[in-house]
């Protein structure tokens, strides 16, 4: 049989192919020749054939028939054969195929070989594709090589040990004695791999982390890092003028793990972190990478306040960098730290706002989120002005989130009612089609409650919709206001700005134009028709015209519009004496819930509140199955008997899901007693909150707590107190995910003792992004009229890595300021 062509010739031949079909034909022809050679047990050219097969595998063609030939090359005594054999094993084999177990003995023999390069090949292969069985069998040999004096073998053995620990975590203690002297090595390769090994051990085992803190690992790492910073030029390790930046980054990451939640370790590394932050050159990307890791370490450990300000200033300098990636990283990091270091981040507000004008959409989104996080009572006017400019010019995908953020910030920090109304109207004028469904009723309520602003508001809205009906929410609010306060518009009573002269016919012309406009939705036409009907009691000269318009729509093809028109016609004809009373001006609106507290347990999905009785039920009255479910859910120690608010045949789904949430736990600490009649109930959470600022700025000193931290899921509670009711505590939960995959279908459920009332608002999302790249926020409102110590039990459900996860936890460490 003729000698097969060399690998170089095969590559040259394949590159001459002009079409994919021609290349495929060449590959098939060569594969056939290689198969024939394998069948004839040709040892002379086996190495060459496997090398060609690996090249074809890299091109995407099947090469599985060469797996056994790789094992034969590994068993060969020639180094060139072993090199190709081990390379083939790493590319063609993995732990899902039983064939890989056949090479365990060969790897064991090669780990004890007299040549370091053969040992290195075996270590690389084991560290690349070794299964848990192979790792258990060969961990002893790896541990011996980890103690050898040969630097070439030690660095490879350390990386192989990392793979062994990942596959078989219980073997971690085997490598503990070998780690004692690893950091005393002068070779940078050994130091780098040693830090990787120590990092893996600390991340996977809390016991190992505690051990390394006790044996003073931090001073050793600080010494190595200081030597790297202070050392002069070393051509072997220099990258853009910085000594071994890869090792510096690895050490900073390990310091971050060791210093997290540990005062002594954090204190030991404060000085070196300050040195790195001030001495690292920022003109090259290498220096920026080290500074970024330094900032993350400073923010994650218990560092001094001055050091944290220095870290935020570094991020502020990153925002001025021309590299978009660096600017994005800076914005993301500032967004994570803004809650803990708000004032320090505020210093860079102008730079952050400038990022709203960036052409990159990712940077725009991060800058928008950070801008909303920076809004407070002192800067709300300036920040809203910038964000409204951004809303004018941003892409459509930003408008919904931006409008929602402006609404929330304006509600929380509005300096005056006129400013609040002007801001919301500006949003509706600019991006009315993108606002949430509740924007219209919320603005209507705001206008209704601002009695002194009625004339000003109706005049502004009238001018806003003249000839432009494209923004439907704006037209709906304007129609409602014109119907309510049309008499103020015609009389020209506006004092805040120069009044306009409008006749009754001009007002009706506008509303009729809304009715016949092709841009008007069915809901908008309903608003306009109702507004026209209301004006029949506000206007005096145009009542006959109003009757005519209403009668025309009695035959509309829109069923909703037709029904309204027919009912309004009936008012004119049969009940005209009642019309002024029925259409009188709406009173001041208040957000009122049902009388008495609702049920204690709520989820972040839809809830069905049940009202507590104010007196015992009559004898013989048996609650239906829905009430039984609720009583089983809460237990006698939590709640008195329940009556439904409305007849329903739909079962309460929350009962089954939360059955284990409360159990028979009596959080009040008092014995179970028969339910007593309730004489008076305190007002519920939202009573009276609409007309005054919602939160008390004096509550900024309430410390936040971590309510849950397990399996990569972390849930933090931050607290605020209501201005309108001191007994109301507003808890904002923030759920973050440090794993490598997103957590989906996240549901947060909570329960409190029966002496409290709890309301759980809708979450910002149901997906928690991986790598702490985003959070879910949700608001809990707790009424605590008796000022008792707050306790809460939570239930978490979510999907992660294809599995449904569920966990219960009890939160008892609420700060006293949150409930006293």
């Amino acid at each position: 049989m003729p000698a097969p062509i060399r690998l170089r010739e095969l590559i040259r031949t394949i590159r001459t192919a002009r079409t994919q079909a021609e290349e495929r034909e060449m590959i098939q022809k060569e594969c056939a020749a290689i198969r024939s050679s394998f069948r004839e047990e040709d040892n002379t050219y086996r190495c060459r054939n496997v090398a060609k097969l690996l090249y074809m595998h890299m091109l995407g063609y099947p090469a599985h028939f060469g797996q056994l030939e790789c094992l034969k090359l590994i068993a060969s005594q020639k180094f060139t054969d072993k090199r190709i054999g081990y390379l083939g094993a790493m590319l063609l084999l993995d732990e899902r195929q039983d064939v890989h177990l056949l090479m365990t003995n060969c790897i064991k023999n090669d780990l004890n070989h007299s040549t370091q390069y053969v040992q290195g090949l075996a270590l690389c292969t084991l560290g690349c594709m070794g299964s848990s069985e192979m790792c258990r069998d060969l961990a002893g040999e790896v541990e011996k090589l980890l103690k050898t004096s040969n630097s070439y073998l030690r660095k490879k053995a350390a990386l192989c040990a990392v793979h062994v620990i990942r596959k078989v975590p219980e073997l971690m203690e085997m490598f503990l004695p070998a780690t004692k002297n690893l950091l005393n090595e002068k070779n940078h390769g050994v130091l780098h791999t040693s830090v990787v090994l120590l990092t893996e051990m600390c991340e996977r085992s809390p016991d190992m982390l505690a051990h390394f803190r006790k044996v003073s690992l931090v001073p050793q790492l600080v010494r190595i890092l200081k030597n790297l910073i202070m050392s002069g030029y070393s051509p072997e390790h220099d990258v853009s003028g910085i000594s071994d930046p890869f090792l510096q980054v690895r050490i900073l990451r390990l310091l971050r793990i060791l210093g997290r939640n540990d005062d002594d370790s954090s204190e030991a590394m404060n000085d070196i972190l300050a040195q790195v932050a001030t001495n690292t050159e920022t003109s090259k990307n290498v220096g920026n990478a080290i500074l970024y890791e330094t900032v993350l370490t400073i923010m994650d450990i218990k560092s001094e306040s001055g050091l944290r300000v220095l870290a935020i200033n570094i991020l502020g300098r990153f925002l001025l960098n021309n590299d978009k990636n660096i600017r994005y990283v800076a914005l993301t990091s500032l967004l994570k730290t803004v809650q803990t270091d708000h004032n320090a981040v505020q210093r860079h507000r102008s730079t952050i706002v400038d990022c709203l004008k960036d052409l990159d959409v990712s940077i725009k989104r991060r800058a928008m989120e950070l801008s909303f996080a920076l809004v407070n009572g002192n800067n709300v006017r300036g920040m809203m002005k910038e964000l409204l400019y951004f809303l004018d010019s941003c892409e459509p995908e930003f408008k919904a989130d931006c409008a929602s953020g402006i609404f929330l910030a304006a509600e929380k920090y509005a300096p005056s009612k006129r400013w609040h109304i002007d801001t919301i109207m500006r949003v509706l004028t600019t991006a009315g089609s993108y606002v949430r469904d509740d924007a219209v009723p919320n603005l209507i309520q705001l206008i209704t409650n601002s009695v002194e602003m009625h004339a000003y508001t109706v005049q502004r809205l009238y001018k806003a919709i003249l000839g432009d009906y494209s923004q439907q929410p704006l037209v709906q609010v304007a129609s409602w206001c014109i119907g309510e306060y049309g008499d103020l518009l015609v009389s020209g009573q506006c004092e805040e700005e120069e009044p306009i002269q409008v006749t009754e016919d001009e007002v009706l012309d506008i509303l009729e134009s809304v009715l016949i406009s092709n841009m008007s939705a069915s809901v908008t036409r309903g608003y306009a028709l109702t507004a026209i009907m209301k004006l029949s009691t506000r206007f005096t000269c145009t009542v006959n015209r109003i009757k005519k318009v209403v009668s025309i729509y009695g035959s509309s093809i829109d069923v909703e519009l037709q029904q309204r028109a027919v009912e309004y016609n009936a008012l004119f004809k049969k009940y005209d004496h009642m019309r002024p009373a029925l259409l009188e001006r709406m009173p001041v609106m208040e957000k009122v819930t049902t009388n008495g507290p609702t049920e204690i347990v709520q989820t972040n999905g839809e809830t069905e509140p049940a009202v507590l009785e104010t007196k015992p039920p009559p004898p013989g009255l048996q609650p239906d199955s829905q009430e039984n479910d609720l009583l089983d859910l809460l237990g006698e120690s939590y709640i008195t008997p329940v009556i439904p608010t409305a007849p329903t045949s739909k079962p309460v789904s929350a009962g089954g899901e939360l059955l284990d949430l409360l159990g028979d736990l009596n959080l009040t600490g008092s014995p179970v007693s028969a339910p007593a009649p309730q004489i008076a109930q305190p007002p519920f959470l939202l009573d009276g909150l609409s007309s005054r600022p919602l939160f008390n700025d004096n509550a900024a000193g309430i410390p936040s707590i971590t309510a849950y931290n397990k399996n990569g899921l972390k849930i933090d509670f931050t607290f605020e107190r209501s201005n309108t009711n001191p007994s109301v505590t507003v808890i904002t939960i923030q759920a973050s995910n440090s794993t490598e995959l997103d957590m989906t279908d996240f549901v947060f459920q909570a329960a409190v003792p029966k002496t409290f009332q709890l309301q759980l608002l809708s979450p910002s999302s149901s997906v928690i992004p991986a790598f702490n790249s985003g959070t879910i926020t949700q608001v809990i409102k707790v009424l605590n009229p008796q000022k008792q110590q707050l306790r809460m039990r939570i239930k978490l459900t979510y999907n992660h890595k294809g599995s449904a996860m569920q966990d219960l936890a009890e939160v008892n460490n609420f700060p006293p300021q949150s409930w006293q």
Side-chain angles (χ1 to χ4, degrees):
M1 185 175 179
I5 63 174
R6 295 178 181 274
L7 174 61
R8 186 175 300 173
E9 295 174 9
L10 175 66
I11 295 173
R12 189 180 298 115
T13 304
I14 290 176
R15 286 180 175 174
T16 61
R18 297 181 179 179
T19 63
Q20 190 173 4
E22 190 177 344
E23 178 188 290
R24 201 158 43 236
E25 183 180 354
M26 292 177 182
I27 295 289
Q28 289 173 351
K29 184 178 179 181
E30 187 61 32
C31 283
I34 292 174
R35 280 194 181 93
S36 299
S37 178
F38 286 165
R39 280 196 297 270
E40 294 174 6
E41 294 292 331
D42 185 0
N43 295 328
T44 307
Y45 298 108
R46 179 179 285 129
C47 180
R48 181 184 297 180
N49 287 331
V50 171
K52 290 188 290 185
L53 205 57
L54 294 179
Y55 175 69
M56 295 177 201
H57 172 75
M58 291 166 61
L59 293 179
Y61 294 95
H64 56 277
F65 57 88
Q67 292 173 348
L68 289 176
E69 302 304 314
C70 293
L71 299 183
K72 293 176 183 177
L73 287 175
I74 290 172
S76 171
Q77 297 302 313
K78 295 170 63 177
F79 176 75
T80 53
D81 287 354
K82 282 185 179 292
R83 184 175 59 182
I84 295 296
Y86 276 124
L87 178 61
M90 285 187 275
L91 288 174
L92 302 180
L93 293 176
D94 58 47
E95 59 183 277
R96 292 173 296 180
Q97 297 156 338
D98 294 336
V99 179
H100 80 282
L101 294 173
L102 299 175
M103 56 191 255
T104 304
N105 197 49
C106 290
I107 292 179
K108 184 171 184 177
N109 292 334
D110 287 342
L111 288 174
N112 295 308
H113 201 276
S114 57
T115 306
Q116 66 174 5
Y117 300 108
V118 175
Q119 291 176 293
L121 288 175
L123 285 170
C124 286
T125 306
L126 179 60
C128 176
M129 47 77 65
S131 63
S132 55
E133 293 85 355
M134 290 177 67
C135 290
R136 284 192 179 91
D137 294 338
L138 302 175
E141 277 70 20
V142 175
E143 193 263 344
K144 290 177 187 175
L145 293 175
L146 199 56
K147 295 179 179 179
T148 185
S149 59
N150 189 327
S151 300
Y152 175 82
L153 291 177
R154 288 183 82 182
K155 66 182 180 182
K156 290 182 179 292
L159 289 181
C160 188
V162 171
H163 180 78
V164 172
I165 289 172
R166 288 174 180 169
K167 288 293 180 183
V168 194
E170 57 266 25
L171 294 177
M172 194 181 304
E173 291 187 7
M174 175 187 291
F175 300 103
L176 187 58
T179 60
K180 292 180 180 178
N181 299 319
L182 283 177
L183 294 181
N184 296 324
E185 178 70 42
K186 296 290 180 65
N187 184 282
H188 281 219
V190 177
L191 282 176
H192 191 127
T193 54
S194 302
V195 173
V196 173
L197 175 60
L198 292 169
T199 302
E200 189 70 24
M201 296 172 76
C202 291
E203 284 180 334
R204 290 188 172 269
S205 170
D207 294 336
M208 287 291 174
L209 180 59
H211 169 76
F212 286 127
R213 283 171 176 166
K214 287 180 182 177
V215 298
S216 302
L217 181 61
V218 172
Q220 286 183 277
L221 294 171
V222 168
R223 174 179 53 81
I224 297 170
L225 192 55
K226 189 172 185 178
N227 291 338
L228 287 172
I229 297 172
M230 307 306 293
S231 64
Y233 173 74
S234 172
E236 186 179 355
H237 307 119
D238 184 83
V239 179
S240 299
I242 294 178
S243 179
D244 204 343
F246 304 102
L247 179 56
Q248 289 192 45
V249 166
R250 283 292 180 183
I251 292 175
L252 287 168
R253 288 181 182 174
L254 181 53
L255 287 174
R256 181 157 74 244
I257 296 170
L258 292 167
R260 189 179 297 145
N261 300 323
D262 187 83
D263 293 326
D264 295 336
S265 299
S266 299
E267 179 67 28
M269 65 183 76
N270 274 333
D271 291 342
I272 190 64
L273 290 175
Q275 285 184 2
V276 174
T278 52
N279 294 338
T280 303
E281 179 62 43
T282 60
S283 59
K284 299 291 178 63
N285 214 30
V286 177
N288 291 328
I290 293 175
L291 285 176
Y292 178 60
E293 288 296 333
T294 306
V295 168
L296 293 182
T297 302
I298 291 172
M299 290 303 177
D300 219 16
I301 67 171
K302 295 190 174 183
S303 52
E304 299 169 349
S305 59
L307 201 55
R308 298 179 74 86
V309 172
L310 176 61
I312 291 173
N313 290 340
I314 291 173
L315 294 177
R317 292 204 305 271
F318 280 1
L319 291 177
L320 302 173
N321 198 293
N322 293 327
D323 192 314
K324 293 181 180 180
N325 294 320
I326 294 177
R327 292 205 300 276
Y328 179 82
V329 160
L331 289 168
T332 304
S333 302
L334 287 170
L335 193 58
K336 294 177 182 177
T337 60
V338 68
Q339 299 298 332
T340 54
D341 298 273
H342 190 83
N343 292 333
V345 180
Q346 281 283 2
R347 298 192 187 105
H348 305 280
R349 190 171 69 233
S350 59
T351 312
I352 293 166
V353 170
D354 286 341
C355 291
L356 291 172
K357 304 168 187 174
D358 200 285
L359 297 177
D360 189 281
V361 292
S362 301
I363 292 177
K364 273 187 186 178
R365 182 166 294 279
R366 281 286 181 262
M368 180 184 72
E369 294 170 353
L370 185 53
S371 296
F372 282 122
L374 289 176
V375 175
N376 59 28
N378 298 324
N379 61 25
V380 63
R381 290 181 183 272
M383 289 297 291
M384 286 298 105
K385 185 177 180 181
E386 296 290 345
L387 288 165
L388 285 169
Y389 285 147
F390 174 71
L391 183 64
D392 285 338
S393 58
C394 69
E395 291 82 354
E397 61 263 28
F398 290 105
K399 289 187 182 292
D401 292 335
C402 187
S404 178
I406 291 174
F407 284 166
L408 293 173
E411 182 179 357
K412 191 172 183 180
Y413 300 112
S416 66
K417 288 186 178 180
R418 175 173 174 175
W419 181 91
H420 193 178
I421 292 171
D422 286 345
T423 302
I424 302 302
M425 285 173 56
R426 171 78 182 277
V427 173
L428 292 178
T429 306
T430 306
S433 303
Y434 298 92
V435 299
R436 299 178 316 190
D437 293 338
D438 61 350
V440 171
N442 285 347
L443 180 55
I444 288 174
Q445 182 190 20
L446 174 65
I447 294 170
T448 305
N449 294 346
S450 307
V451 179
E452 68 282 2
M453 303 298 297
H454 287 170
Y456 167 76
T457 305
V458 71
Q459 181 170 306
R460 284 287 310 274
L461 287 167
Y462 176 80
K463 291 193 290 186
I465 65 167
L466 280 174
D468 180 17
Y469 311 125
S470 58
Q471 307 293 350
Q472 290 294 288
L474 178 67
V475 178
Q476 291 168 14
V477 175
S479 299
W480 189 92
C481 287
I482 291 171
E484 281 291 310
Y485 315 119
D487 51 335
L488 301 179
L489 177 62
V490 172
S491 63
Q493 297 179 10
C494 182
E495 297 178 358
E496 284 75 12
E497 65 178 14
E498 184 179 350
I500 58 175
Q501 300 300 320
V502 184
T503 65
E504 294 183 4
D505 285 315
E506 287 174 337
V507 175
L508 290 177
D509 287 342
I510 286 287
L511 293 176
E512 285 190 54
S513 299
V514 173
L515 279 171
I516 63 177
S517 172
N518 292 328
M519 289 186 289
S520 295
S522 176
V523 175
T524 307
R525 289 190 174 98
Y527 272 94
L529 186 63
T530 303
I532 291 174
M533 185 62 188
K534 286 181 179 179
L535 290 178
S536 67
T537 62
R538 275 73 162 167
F539 291 173
T540 56
C541 305
T542 53
V543 176
N544 290 331
R545 180 180 174 182
I546 292 172
K547 287 182 180 178
K548 185 177 179 181
V549 172
V550 171
S551 64
I552 289 173
Y553 284 92
S555 56
S556 172
I557 60 173
D558 186 327
V559 177
E560 171 69 20
L561 211 58
Q562 182 189 104
Q563 181 179 349
R564 287 175 186 259
V566 169
E567 292 171 352
Y568 296 158
N569 269 321
L571 271 181
F572 276 122
K573 293 176 182 178
K574 297 181 180 180
Y575 307 102
D576 198 52
H577 61 286
M578 298 172 59
R579 184 165 51 85
L582 290 174
L583 300 177
E584 66 181 4
R585 190 164 292 173
M586 293 287 289
V588 174
M589 299 181 186
E590 296 288 345
K591 289 184 179 178
V592 180
T593 60
T594 53
N595 295 326
T598 60
E599 61 174 276
I600 308 297
V601 180
Q602 295 197 8
T603 72
N604 60 1
E606 293 297 324
T607 59
E608 294 184 11
V611 182
L612 297 188
E613 280 194 326
T614 56
K615 60 181 180 180
L621 179 61
Q622 295 296 327
D624 60 16
S625 60
Q626 177 181 349
E627 295 144 8
N628 284 328
D629 289 343
L630 190 58
L631 287 173
D632 291 341
L633 167 67
L634 298 173
E636 291 180 358
S637 62
Y638 270 77
I639 199 167
T640 55
V642 176
I643 58 172
T645 56
T648 178
S649 60
K650 175 181 168 185
V652 179
S653 60
E657 295 172 359
L658 284 181
L659 190 59
D660 296 330
L661 177 59
L662 299 174
D664 57 354
L665 179 68
N666 182 5
L667 293 178
T668 61
S670 59
V672 178
S673 60
Q678 308 218 0
I679 298 171
Q681 298 289 354
F684 193 52
L685 300 176
L686 296 179
D687 289 354
L689 293 187
S690 57
S691 59
R692 284 181 281 175
L694 184 59
F695 301 123
N696 186 348
D697 293 334
N698 296 330
I702 303 180
S704 59
I705 64 169
T706 298
Y708 183 88
N709 193 355
K710 191 187 298 183
N711 301 325
L713 175 61
K714 182 180 179 183
I715 295 180
D716 294 325
F717 283 7
T718 57
F719 305 89
E720 292 176 292
R721 300 297 285 271
S722 169
N723 259 342
T724 56
N725 188 348
S727 299
V728 174
T729 301
V730 181
I731 305 173
T732 303
I733 74 166
Q734 286 190 323
S736 58
N737 169 18
S738 62
T739 66
E740 67 276 12
L741 292 176
D742 291 351
M743 295 177 179
T744 59
D745 299 327
F746 176 78
V747 177
F748 175 93
Q749 299 170 298
V752 292
K754 69 176 183 180
T755 54
F756 300 81
Q757 296 177 48
L758 178 144
Q759 185 181 29
L760 197 56
L761 305 186
S762 298
S764 59
S765 175
S766 62
V767 178
I768 313 179
F771 298 113
N772 289 324
S773 59
T775 60
I776 286 181
T777 58
Q778 190 170 2
V779 174
I780 309 173
K781 297 179 181 178
V782 180
L783 178 63
N784 183 9
Q786 301 180 19
K787 302 289 186 182
Q788 294 187 355
Q789 182 175 355
L790 183 56
R791 301 178 68 188
M792 183 180 295
R793 177 167 283 191
I794 61 175
K795 179 179 180 181
L796 310 167
T797 55
Y798 56 94
N799 289 328
H800 190 228
K801 297 181 180 179
S803 303
M805 309 293 288
Q806 178 175 306
D807 199 9
L808 288 172
E810 194 166 340
V811 186
N812 296 322
N813 58 332
F814 287 95
Q817 301 97 310
S818 66
W819 51 269
Q820 286 180 348

